[in-house]
C-alpha cells in the first residue's frame, strides 16, 4: 500500500496516563492488540508502525481529561514527537485547569505544537464560552487548526450536551478564518447537523475518526458534493488496525480524486504541508 495518508487523529500515552476504566474498556473490546500497545509507544517503533500502515503524517494528541479518561501531558506528546517528521504534535487546553488558555497554548506552540485539540464533553465546557475566545484568536492568527471532539464517547463521565456541533456555529461565525474541525463528525445524533454546518462555514471541516468507513455514506449521503470538507483520522488505538480502516475508505463508491482528498489533500492543505 503506498504511504500517502495523513491520519488526523491518533492518541498516544503510557498506560499510567489513563484511568483504570479506560484500560478495562480497551481490554474488553480488543485485548490481543492492547497487549502489544505498550511496546509500540516508543517514537522510533511507532513511526515505523505508522509507515507500515501507509501513514505519511500523523497528528498526535495529548489528553488533559482527569475526570474522564486521564492525563497525557502536552509535554509528553511534544517530547515524543521531537525529531520525527512523521509526527505532527497538537497541544490540548482544558479550561478548568488554567485561567489563561491562550498563554498555555502559546507556550506549547513555541515548543512545536502545530494545532490544538479540545475535549468539551470530557472536560465539561462549551466550546463557544467567552473564556475560550482568546485561544481562538491566537489559533486564527497563527493559522493553527483547532480539532474539537463532537458527538458521542464511550468513556465514563463524558457528557454529550457539550459535544453538540451547533456550539461551533458561534466560533466559526466569530472567527471566520479559524480552521476548525469537528472530530467524529457529530457522531451518533448530529451527522446532519455537522454536515450542514461544514457547508455553511468555509473553514469548518468534518473529521471522520471513530466512524466505521462502511457507514460514511449512510451518515453523509451528500458526502461527495462536499468532499473538500472531509478529513481522515483513525482514533488509534480505539481503532486498532489502521490499514483495514483505510482500505475500507478506498472501497467506498467515491471517485479516486475524492478519496485522495479525504485521505491526504484536505489535511495537507489545513496543515500547510
Ligand atoms: Zn480521539
Amino acid at each position: 500500500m503506498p504511504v500517502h495518508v495523513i491520519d488526523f487523529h491518533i492518541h498516544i500515552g503510557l498506560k499510567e496516563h489513563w484511568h483504570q476504566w479506560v484500560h478495562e474498556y480497551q481490554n474488553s473490546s480488543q485485548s490481543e492488540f492492547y497487549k502489544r500497545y505498550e511496546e509500540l509507544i516508543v517514537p522510533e517503533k511507532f513511526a515505523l508502525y505508522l509507515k507500515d500502515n501507509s501513514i505519511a503524517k500523523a497528528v498526535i494528541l495529548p489528553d488533559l481529561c482527569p475526570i474522564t479518561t486521564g492525563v497525557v501531558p502536552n509535554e509528553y506528546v511534544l517530547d515524543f514527537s521531537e525529531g520525527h517528521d512523521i509526527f505532527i504534535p497538537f497541544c490540548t487546553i482544558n479550561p478548568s485547569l488554567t485561567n489563561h488558555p491562550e498563554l498555555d497554548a502559546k507556550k506549547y506552540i513555541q515548543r512545536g505544537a502545530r494545532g490544538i485539540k479540545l475535549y468539551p464533553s470530557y472536560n465539561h465546557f462549551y466550546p463557544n464560552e467567552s473564556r475560550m475566545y482568546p485561544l481562538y484568536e491566537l489559533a486564527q492568527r497563527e493559522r493553527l487548526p483547532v480539532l474539537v471532539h463532537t458527538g458521542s464517547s464511550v468513556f465514563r463521565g463524558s457528557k454529550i450536551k457539550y459535544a453538540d456541533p451547533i456550539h461551533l456555529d458561534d466560533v466559526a461565525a466569530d472567527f471566520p478564518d479559524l480552521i476548525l474541525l469537528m472530530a467524529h463528525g457529530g457522531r451518533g445524533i448530529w451527522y446532519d447537523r455537522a454536515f450542514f454546518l461544514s457547508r455553511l462555514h468555509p473553514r469548518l471541516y468534518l473529521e471522520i475518526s471513530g466512524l466505521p468507513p462502511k457507514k460514511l455514506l449512510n451518515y453523509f449521503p451528500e458526502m461527495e458534493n462536499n468532499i473538500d470538507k472531509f478529513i481522515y483520522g483513525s482514533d488509534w488505538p480505539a481503532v486498532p488496525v489502521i490499514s483495514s480502516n483505510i482500505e475500507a475508505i478506498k472501497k467506498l463508491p467515491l471517485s479516486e480524486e475524492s478519496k485522495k482528498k479525504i485521505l491526504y489533500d484536505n489535511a495537507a492543505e489545513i496543515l500547510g504541508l
Side-chain angles (χ1 to χ4, degrees):
M1 205 169 9
V3 182
H4 211 57
V5 174
I6 298 175
D7 190 329
F8 219 94
H9 197 128
I10 285 193
H11 295 275
I12 59 155
L14 302 173
K15 279 203 167 161
E16 60 263 35
H17 287 145
W18 283 311
H19 294 318
Q20 190 53 34
W21 67 72
V22 176
H23 299 306
E24 280 160 16
Y25 172 77
Q26 298 280 23
N27 266 321
S28 65
S29 61
Q30 40 170 328
S31 56
E32 267 319 298
F33 160 74
Y34 207 53
K35 274 181 210 143
R36 287 185 50 223
Y37 171 82
E38 216 164 23
E39 296 163 30
L40 278 174
I41 297 301
V42 175
E44 291 72 22
K45 276 193 192 167
F46 194 51
L48 279 177
Y49 172 79
L50 291 178
K51 279 179 197 151
D52 285 346
N53 280 275
S54 351
I55 305 297
K57 300 274 180 193
V59 169
I60 308 290
L61 304 168
D63 288 60
L64 290 186
C65 306
I67 50 177
T68 45
T69 48
V71 172
V72 179
N74 283 299
E75 291 82 356
Y76 172 78
V77 165
L78 291 166
D79 290 344
F80 187 93
S81 304
E82 209 169 297
H84 294 272
D85 261 11
I86 189 170
F87 302 139
I88 298 182
F90 274 30
C91 63
T92 185
I93 302 296
N94 176 345
S96 306
L97 302 179
T98 175
N99 291 323
H100 298 285
E102 75 286 8
L103 296 182
D104 285 27
K106 223 177 204 164
K107 191 175 78 189
Y108 299 124
I109 292 161
Q110 276 161 2
R111 281 213 47 203
R114 290 164 64 183
I116 299 162
K117 169 82 189 280
L118 298 175
Y119 298 83
S121 51
Y122 291 57
N123 294 330
H124 302 177
F125 70 95
Y126 291 102
N128 58 346
E129 289 174 28
S130 58
R131 60 180 165 158
M132 301 304 288
Y133 271 40
L135 181 70
Y136 301 136
E137 235 168 80
L138 170 74
Q140 181 173 252
R141 194 169 60 239
E142 302 284 332
R143 291 187 46 79
L144 293 177
V146 177
L147 175 66
V148 185
H149 178 105
T150 61
S152 65
S153 166
V154 293
F155 295 115
R156 194 190 292 180
S158 69
K159 295 186 177 175
I160 197 169
K161 68 177 177 182
Y162 298 106
D164 185 338
I166 199 69
H167 308 308
L168 297 175
D169 178 59
D170 278 346
V171 182
D174 293 336
F175 299 92
D177 295 321
L178 177 66
I179 303 161
L180 264 178
L181 296 95
M182 296 174 276
H184 319 304
R187 186 169 56 201
I189 46 181
W190 293 308
Y191 298 118
D192 291 353
R193 183 171 294 197
F195 186 85
F196 181 84
L197 288 167
S198 78
R199 286 196 124 171
L200 195 60
H201 296 290
R203 297 306 262 162
L204 182 59
Y205 296 82
L206 290 146
E207 184 263 279
I208 57 171
S209 65
L211 305 180
K214 277 185 201 152
K215 291 275 181 74
L216 282 174
L217 280 157
N218 298 21
Y219 299 154
F220 307 107
E222 299 285 318
M223 190 172 181
E224 195 140 35
N225 298 331
N226 189 28
I227 204 73
D228 291 340
K229 290 304 189 68
F230 280 86
I231 309 274
Y232 172 74
S234 65
D235 210 6
W236 189 92
V239 169
V241 188
I242 299 177
S243 56
S244 50
N245 208 246
I246 294 168
E247 280 309 310
I249 288 182
K250 288 184 173 168
K251 287 195 184 112
L252 289 175
L254 298 168
S255 73
E256 286 309 306
E257 199 196 341
S258 293
K259 290 174 199 169
K260 208 173 148 266
K261 283 185 172 180
I262 304 171
L263 292 171
Y264 190 90
D265 295 349
N266 295 341
E269 199 259 324
I270 283 176
L271 293 164
L273 299 177

